[in-house]
Amino acid sequence: MSRPASAPEPPAVVVHHHPDAPVAVLREVLAGAEEEGVPVEASPDPETDGAVGQAHRAAQRSRLDVGVGVDADGSVVVHHVKLPADRPAFTEAVPDPAAPAGPEVAADRPHGRRAGAAAARIVTGLPLPEPAGARP
């Protein structure tokens, strides 16, 4: 059943992504938020101002006030509507392929999933996930 045109959008974390964003990263972002029990909605964003700008616009569109941006290089940014446009809440940079993969990195979540979980945790008020490779 489809919603009438006048019906409000359901509450969700909004994900804006570059049309050339890596599909695997986008899939992990969505999975990370869904694992935390928060609905997500994704759409391409043709603007070329990067993941920070995408995330800020997504947060403005989200009824939950949280947005995610995924750039063409796979970098992921989480933003809250109340934060300044240039100061996102969480950033997950593209992993350096030349960096050595230690045991703490090998067991880490796939790239993008941590950012999706961070977006959901901002909505639910839970602590943000640790940065990639952080030790407990």
Side-chain angles (χ1 to χ4, degrees):
M1 177 189 300
S2 65
R3 289 183 286 136
S6 61
E9 291 187 28
V13 168
V14 174
V15 178
H16 281 181
H17 60 89
H18 188 281
D20 297 328
V23 174
V25 174
L26 184 58
R27 183 177 46 244
E28 293 300 333
V29 169
L30 301 177
E34 290 171 351
E35 281 178 349
E36 298 286 336
V38 176
V40 289
E41 171 191 317
S43 62
D45 184 350
E47 296 293 324
T48 58
D49 57 351
V52 174
Q54 292 167 337
H56 188 254
R57 280 190 301 282
Q60 291 173 326
R61 197 175 130 223
S62 169
R63 286 187 51 206
L64 298 176
D65 295 334
V66 177
V68 179
V70 183
D71 206 356
D73 67 355
S75 57
V76 187
V77 172
V78 179
H79 225 305
H80 189 278
V81 74
K82 292 185 179 180
L83 292 174
D86 62 341
R87 306 247 343 220
F90 188 89
T91 301
E92 190 172 355
V94 178
D96 180 3
E104 69 277 357
V105 176
D108 220 355
R109 292 174 159 181
H111 179 67
R113 193 167 291 222
R114 181 172 285 100
R121 286 171 166 254
I122 290 170
V123 169
T124 60
L126 294 172
L128 294 179
E130 293 292 325
R135 293 180 179 224

